[in-house]
Amino acid sequence: MLVLAQAAEEAAVNSVLDFALKGGPMMIPIGLCSLVVVAVVFERMGVLRRTKFAPRGFDKKLAKALGDQPVSAGARADAVKLCKKANHGAGRVMLAGLDKLGHGHDVVEKHLGAAGEEEVYRMRRRLRALTVVAAIAPLLGLTGTIFGMIEAFQTVATSEDALGKAGKLAGGIYEAMITTAAGLLVAIPTLVFYHWLAGRVEGLTRDLDRLCVWFVETYVLERKHADTAETESVPEKIVKPAETESVEIGDGLAGAGVTA
C-alpha cells in the first residue's frame, strides 16, 4: 500500500500542462483537435446569425419595394437594389428570383431552389470538421491508453526490482488513462456544439423556405392567376361574315357570290 501511495503521489497531476505532459505523445493530436473545435465553433457562431442570412422584416421591405401587381420595371429595379445592398442570404436568394421574374413559375422556383441550396451550403460549411473531431478524439485517446499500458507492462516485465513492480504498473496505467480522459473531454463538448449549430442552420433554412414560398405565391402564382382572369374577362368578338350581293350572270350563275 505504501508503494502504491508513493507511486500515485509521484504521478499526481498539478496543472493542465502537467496533465498534458503525462499523457504522452498522443496528447498532441488531441490538443490539435481541441484547437480546431474552438476555431470552428467561434467562426460559425459569428456566421450563423439571423442578420447574416434571414433578418426579420426583410420580406416587408421587399414587398414595399415591389409594390402592387403587376410589378413595374422601376419597382423591380428598386427591389434588386435592395437585395444587393442587403448582402445577406435572403437577399441573394431573392435576387435569383427577381432575375427570373416574369418567366414561368417552374423557372423561378428552380433558380430560387439553386440559390437556396448555395446558402445552405454556406451555413453548413466546416460543420463536418466537428463531426470528424467528435469521432476521432475518443479513438486517439484509446490509442494512447493502449500504447501507455503496453509500455507500462513492458517496464514491469523487464524490471528486476520485484518489490516496485506494482507501483510501476499502477503509475503506468494511471498515466495511460489520461489520454482516454482527454479524448472524451474533447469529443463530448464537440458533439454538443455540433448539434447546437446544426439546429441554428435548420432554423435559418426554414426562414429562407418561408421567404421563397411567400415570394412565389405573391409575385409569381398570383400574377399568373391575375393575367388569366384578365384574359378570361375580355369578351370575345363575334365576327359575322360579310354579306355579299349575288348578281345573276348568264346561265344559272345566280347566288355564286360574285358582285358586280
Side-chain angles (χ1 to χ4, degrees), residues 99-165:
D99 184 56
K100 298 300 177 181
L101 191 62
H103 294 71
H105 69 91
D106 52 343
V107 177
V108 177
E109 290 177 0
K110 180 179 179 180
H111 283 76
L112 286 174
E117 289 177 2
E118 180 66 23
E119 294 304 320
V120 173
Y121 170 76
R122 290 184 180 183
M123 287 188 283
R124 296 190 64 86
R125 188 184 299 170
R126 299 186 182 91
L127 288 185
R128 183 170 293 182
L130 298 182
T131 61
V132 172
V133 170
I136 68 174
L139 299 179
L140 291 173
L142 181 60
T143 303
T145 296
I146 295 299
F147 284 135
M149 293 183 70
I150 291 174
E151 184 179 355
F153 279 105
Q154 184 182 8
T155 302
V156 172
T158 57
S159 176
E160 296 179 357
D161 185 9
L163 183 62
K165 284 185 178 181

Side-chain angles (χ1 to χ4, degrees), residues 147-209:
F147 284 135
M149 293 183 70
I150 291 174
E151 184 179 355
F153 279 105
Q154 184 182 8
T155 302
V156 172
T158 57
S159 176
E160 296 179 357
D161 185 9
L163 183 62
K165 284 185 178 181
K168 291 181 180 179
L169 182 61
I173 294 176
Y174 168 77
E175 293 183 6
M177 296 298 291
I178 291 178
T179 55
T180 297
L184 293 174
L185 287 175
V186 172
I188 294 172
T190 301
L191 198 60
V192 172
F193 278 118
Y194 169 77
H195 285 289
W196 177 62
L197 293 173
R200 290 184 65 87
V201 171
E202 185 178 352
L204 293 173
T205 302
R206 286 200 301 266
D207 291 339
L208 288 177
D209 286 341

Side-chain angles (χ1 to χ4, degrees), residues 105 108-109 112 211-223:
H105 69 91
V108 177
E109 290 177 0
L112 286 174
L211 184 63
C212 291
V213 170
W214 165 81
F215 180 79
V216 171
E217 289 182 349
T218 306
Y219 296 101
V220 179
L221 296 181
E222 287 190 6
R223 178 178 181 179

